[in-house]
Each structure stands twice: as structure tokens, then as C-alpha cells.
Amino acid sequence: MSARMMDFLHRASLALLFALLVLTAAGRAQAASLDTSLVSKVDAATFEVVIPRAVDDPLTYEKPLPLELLPYQERTDKYFSIGTAFAIGNNRYVTAGHVLLLAVGDLTGPPSLRDASGHVYAIDKIEKFSLQQDFAVFSLKDQPSNAALAIDTKPVLNSVVYAVGNALGTGVVIRDGLYTSNTPEEENGRWEWMRFSAAASPGNSGGPLLDQDGKAIGVVLMKSANENLNYALPINEVLKAPDNLAVMDKQESYQLDVLDYDQNGSFKAQFPLPASYADFSATFLKLQNSFNEQQLKALLQQQSDQLFPHGPGANRILHDDPQLSFFPSLIARNRSGQWQYAGRELNRVPLSGNGYVASGYVGHNFLMHLRRPDDMKADTFYNDPKQMMDLLLQTGYWYRQVGPEKIKITSLGKPTTDATYTDAWQRQWKVFVWPQPYINSEIILFALPVPDGYAIMMRMNPSMITHDSMIDMKALTDFFNVDYGGSLAQWKEFLAENSLLPQVLKNTRMDFDYGKRLSYDSDQVSFNYPSSLQTIAPDNMLAVGFGYFSDSGKITLQTNYIQIRLNITDPDRISIRRHVAPSQDLDDNFKEAWGKLLHKQHPYDGIAYNDGDEMDIATVIDPRAKSTPTELYTAFYATQSAHKPQEMKVKLSQLTQQFKIKSP
């Protein structure tokens, strides 16, 4: 995600978060009230910037929204205040650039101006815009009056100033302070910001900074990151900017959650004005999205030789002994530059019918494992995104704040986007987008079908950056790691729907003849065993784990672990694991473990042993080639009941006697 977008999110929490500070110092002018004769003129020339509130709400709640708990003004207002604007004459109005950008991609309608009497005026044309200086000049379709602020292009340092704006969405207010200093623009000092101590609140963005005569000297924009001063752009910068032009010339960096490196670049673009707000926002968003796509592409290209499955730490993942993980993780580079698994289950909410939602997060992404309830049919679950999301909402994580109450959201309705995406490992993702118009946001959800439900990656963000999140999440699917598990009954339904299967399972055949025999046949191995080894029933739990293997010089996703448990409560199990010879750069622990496999040392010597309260036996399957192997398979059997060593050998033999290694 671009750093500009991160900054946008920071500013978009209504507007700018300012702190109250009034500075006084010996020898400096003291703050004073604006002359009452000027107040009415300032009020007439200053406006709220508003966007329509959502009329139609696609969401369903646990109960009717108690709107009576809201303040009268809020529950009756058809608009939502996002900032401030002011008139400078000749049907020309000024606001902060980021205030207009708040409505880009808006789900409810374009921005307008509202005066003190409540009359709303539609924006006609955007006439000037600067992303880097953060201002916009525009006209209205209907002129409210001839009121306009006079201009002072040469304000006096340390003089009294007044910040005027839509404080906290409750109407325009005037607050005093001092014009304290100037500071150069951050990139290369192309202009100077004005710093002032007059208090401001969320909603003040885009309002005028006035001198003691009520003349506009600047546009209120932001708060200092490290001190209690506010920033404004000198009004002269607005006046001398080129007419009829939108200019983007700003240094931005692009970030991806799994990398410890940022891609820096300059967003440079221009397009002609005047333009309607719809055309302006569409053109801006197209240019911004294109730049972000270029940044992401450049980031991945710049890091290509270090991206997993390459780079420090990658070999540990490629050569480590296979383990099973049904909760999704992202393969991310840590602060020391090593690739490792990131993300773990932090919470689990049970659903009816043995379903559950396990959740955690990495970076900007929620990670979840949704287990399908037993009483929900597979075709409904996999083909009805509304019902799938309704299950996630049962966790109670999503709610709408109404006054002091949190009202649970029970349904988002049907998604506005229902698509598919294939990642680099040839896994088939379902991609959904749900709007939340009441907060101008969207939920983006990438759902990977697995036998018992979905492995999910999800974000919620302002609608303006949905495209940005979408390209991020597509890139992140290549770093998404999860194994597949479920009961034999769930696997039968899953395997029957070819569109759900990743490429790694397309050529895999599994046959379950309940009470008789189970067989498994893939490109790498095949085996089968009778029910006398382990009861074969619909509630057996089958897990298939995946690893990353070299195939003709290319790393591909392949099976490296197969486990069949007797059921969810009984740990009796059969396991097949695939092991890879360690590379030379790996530490001695890898080489010691490989040595045990090569020489069939304990626990791979085919001799039964006790491990706590269970009895285990394991062996190494003889490789096809007689030369030193680069891969080995192990077979393992465990049971809770007591067995004689010879009986355990018979069990192991039943598992291995039909075992065939097909490759390499």
C-alpha cells in the first residue's frame, strides 16, 4: 500500500486531528477576538463541505437501529460534514485537496457546499488542483451570494490569526492564535508552510486562516507531527498556481505487508481542467491507481531475486520437516531480513453444527479459517457468498456504533464484486467486495476454498483505496500459506467440485470405500490400505500439507504431508511425509535430521516405541534410485491402544506394502 494512502487514511478519520494550543510569549502580539463587524462577512464566505448520507442501507442488523440515541442534528442531517471551504470571489472557492479526495469513490454521492442556513450548493467545475500543495479551487453551479474573503498575500509573522472551519461537523467556528513561523516543504523546499497556534478540530481542513483584518492568508491543512502547531498553505501559493490544471508531483513510497523494503517514486502527472467532479475524480483515481500498480510492479521486480522462495531464510522453509497448519499465515520477511511464517490464531468463535471462525492478522490483513457447519450443504456454502459472510458476522466482530450502543451487523447482503483469481501457485481464490455506505468503506475478501471451509484474507478500507487493497492482496496470495484438512465426507464433496481445487490436487485421486479400503494416488506417490489397519469411515480426518519443491528449475507447490486420523477426538493416525535433503547453507540440525533418515535411525527404524500414552512406529520408504537420494518418504502409524511390537510391524507393513514412489 502506498504511503500516500496511509496518510490519506490518517486524514480521513473525519478530517484532521488537531490539539488545542494557544501560545503566548513576551514581546509577541496576544490573541484577540475577531472584530464583530467582520464575523458576518466571514460566516457568509465560509462553508461546510458535505457528502450525502447513505439512503439505502444494504446491511441487516440484529435489531432496528436506535437512531433516537443520536443527537438531533446528527440523526436528522441528510449530509455528513468532511471539511471546510471558503469563497475568494468570482465564483471561486478553495478547500484542501484531501477534502475533495475524501469523496473520490464515494458510495453515496459527490461533495457539495453547505452554508450556515443549511442550503446546499452543488460543485460545478474543479478549476485548480495540487496534490503536493493539497488544495483545490472550484466553482459552484449556483452562486450563494457575492460574499468573498479579501486576500492578504503578505501576512506578518507573530501576528494574530484566526482559524475558521467546520469544527467537529457542528458548524463553522472562529478561533484565535498566532502566526508563529514558516517551515520549508518537506521534499525540496519548493514553498513554505505557515505554522500557527490557533486551535482547530476535525473538519477544519480546507478552511481559511485569517489575519486580524479578516483577510485570508492561508488554507488550513494539517497538524505538525511532533509539536502542537497547525499548518496552512499560504494563500498566495493557491493564487499563483497554474489555472485550468490538476498537478500531481509528490514523492510516494509503496509498501507490501510481507516485505521490509519500500519502493520510492515520484507521482508526476497532469490533466486539464476545468472538469466536473465526476470527471476529475475518475481521472485522478485512474492516474493514482496506475501509479500504484507501477510502484508495486517495480517493488516486486527490484526484489525479485530476494522474493520467496529466494532470499535469506527461504531454504529453511523449503527444507524444513513438513508440519501441518490449517490456520493461514503469510510468508513474510522479518526485521533481520529472514523469511518466516507470520500470523497465528488469536481467537476462535464457535458456530452451530461444529463450525467455527478462527482469526488473527498480519499487517493490514485479517486472516481467518472458517470451518463450514456440518448442517450447511457444500454447494450452498461454496456458491453463496452472502451465507458465507453471514457466518463470519456471527462472530460479533462487525457492528455499527449508534450513540452508546454497538449494534451487531448480521448480514452485508450480496457482494457487489464476485470474481475469481488464480495465484502463482495455481490456487483458485474467490474474490468478493461488500460496500458499507454508512461509513463510505468496503470490505474486500479473498477466500481460498479448503475441504472444511475457507482460508480467508480480508481488509476493510475507504472505498477510494479498494483498488489499492485489491492489487496488494493479489500480490499477497503468492505468500499465503495454508494446508488442507477435513473429514473424508467433506473431502468427497470438495473433490467433486473441480473448480475449487488447486492445481496441486488436480491430478490427485482419493478413493474412500468406507469400511473397506482407502487409496491415494498423486503424481509423486500412491498408496492404499485396508480398514484392518485403521477404520475407514466418513468421520476420518484427512489432512494434506503442502511444501515448495523444485521442478525442472522452477519452484512449485507440491504435497509433502498426508495424515489420516481416526476422527476429530481420537488421535490414532497414519502419516506419510516427504523430506528433502538439506542445502549446504543450512545448519547442522537439518543435516543431523537428514542423516537419521538416510540411515533409518530411530525413530525411522521400523521398531515400535512408546511416546507418552501412545505407541508409534515409523520407517523410511526405500527410494527408487540406489544412488544417494535427494528426497525420502517416511511412513508412520500411531495408536492409543496397547499392541505388541510384532502387531505394530504388521500395521506398518499394511501401510507400506502398496506404497509407490513415482518421482523423482
Side-chain angles (χ1 to χ4, degrees), residues 509 511 516-521 525-531 533 536 564 574 576 651-660:
R509 181 177 176 83
D511 289 320
K516 296 180 180 179
R517 182 168 293 276
L518 181 149
S519 64
Y520 177 96
D521 189 359
V525 298
S526 67
F527 64 90
N528 65 78
Y529 62 85
S531 192
L533 169 59
I536 301 168
I564 306 100
I574 293 161
I576 304 296
K651 294 282 189 180
L652 186 61
S653 177
Q654 287 180 304
L655 175 60
T656 59
Q657 63 185 358
Q658 299 295 325
F659 196 97
K660 293 181 180 179

Side-chain angles (χ1 to χ4, degrees), residues 360-540:
Y361 67 91
V362 175
H364 299 88
N365 313 283
F366 291 103
L367 302 179
M368 290 177 281
H369 177 202
L370 170 60
R371 187 191 186 280
R372 172 170 61 94
D374 294 338
D375 54 0
M376 181 175 287
K377 293 182 178 180
D379 60 346
T380 298
F381 178 79
Y382 291 117
N383 295 300
D384 187 344
K386 177 185 178 299
Q387 288 204 38
M388 182 267 288
M389 177 54 79
D390 288 353
L391 290 173
L392 295 180
L393 294 172
Q394 289 184 29
T395 60
Y397 296 154
W398 287 269
Y399 59 85
R400 179 169 175 176
Q401 187 82 41
V402 181
E405 285 198 39
K406 296 178 178 179
I407 311 302
K408 290 181 181 178
I409 299 171
T410 57
S411 180
L412 300 181
K414 294 183 178 180
T416 53
T417 296
D418 184 344
T420 59
Y421 177 72
T422 304
D423 65 24
W425 308 111
Q426 300 302 300
R427 296 175 297 194
Q428 310 301 316
W429 293 79
K430 294 176 179 285
V431 181
F432 307 112
V433 177
W434 282 273
Q436 293 185 292
Y438 79 99
I439 52 173
N440 192 29
S441 72
E442 292 182 297
I443 290 176
I444 305 102
L445 188 145
F446 278 58
L448 183 66
V450 294
D452 69 343
Y454 279 115
I456 291 169
M457 179 168 53
M458 188 185 77
R459 289 185 181 182
M460 184 173 73
N461 52 243
S463 56
M464 176 186 175
I465 64 172
T466 291
H467 179 85
D468 200 31
S469 285
M470 190 72 76
I471 62 173
D472 270 8
M473 295 171 77
K474 286 180 178 180
L476 291 174
T477 60
D478 296 344
F479 301 87
F480 189 93
N481 187 80
V482 70
D483 296 320
Y484 287 29
S487 67
L488 294 190
Q490 290 172 325
W491 271 96
K492 274 200 170 185
E493 293 178 309
F494 182 71
L495 293 169
E497 182 54 67
N498 191 63
S499 64
L500 303 177
L501 302 182
Q503 186 61 43
V504 65
L505 291 179
K506 292 283 188 181
N507 295 328
T508 299
R509 181 177 176 83
M510 304 182 203
D511 289 320
F512 319 127
D513 192 355
Y514 298 142
K516 296 180 180 179
R517 182 168 293 276
L518 181 149
S519 64
Y520 177 96
D521 189 359
S522 71
D523 291 338
Q524 287 79 39
V525 298
S526 67
F527 64 90
N528 65 78
Y529 62 85
S531 192
S532 58
L533 169 59
Q534 180 173 278
T535 301
I536 301 168
D539 62 349
N540 285 174

